[in-house]
Amino acid sequence: TALALCNDGAASVGGPVAVPPPQDAPIIDALLGEPMSQQLVQRIAQLSCASCHAYQAELAECWSILGHELKPTLGGITCGALAYLQNRFFEGVRKPSDVVQR
């Protein structure tokens, strides 16, 4: 019997059944029907996170990384990566003025 990571819990006579989340079809349709853009990534991220509550934080993190990497140039990709890292780790990084001089 096959199991999906995110299952609705339905069972059949043969045991648990993998049931695709209802968000799968709209995600696939959007990916096939629209050019890649920040707006598309945000929409798919919302659908993806809604489809699997157990991994919602991890999925949001993955989509955030992808969203920051959708730039047309190498410089844009680098800036996107830096923006992601800055946003993600802002609280854990002290400003240079906060560092005690020894």
Side-chain angles (χ1 to χ4, degrees):
T1 318
L3 288 177
L5 286 177
C6 294
N7 196 324
D8 71 351
S12 66
V13 176
V17 176
V19 178
Q23 295 84 353
D24 279 7
I27 288 172
I28 293 168
D29 290 343
L31 286 170
L32 294 175
E34 298 179 37
M36 192 56 66
S37 67
Q38 290 290 338
Q39 294 80 16
L40 177 62
V41 169
Q42 289 172 359
R43 222 171 47 249
I44 292 174
Q46 291 172 345
L47 288 168
S48 177
C49 290
S51 74
C52 189
H53 295 288
Y55 297 99
Q56 192 168 18
E58 291 84 352
L59 287 166
E61 182 83 1
C62 290
W63 285 109
S64 176
I65 292 168
L66 179 63
H68 280 88
E69 296 300 311
L70 288 177
K71 309 291 183 200
T73 65
L74 184 56
I77 292 169
T78 303
C79 288
L82 291 173
Y84 163 76
L85 291 171
Q86 182 178 1
N87 291 338
R88 173 68 172 84
F89 297 106
F90 179 75
E91 294 300 320
V93 178
R94 294 189 296 175
K95 295 182 285 188
S97 61
D98 293 340
V99 176
V100 176
Q101 298 293 325
R102 292 185 183 191

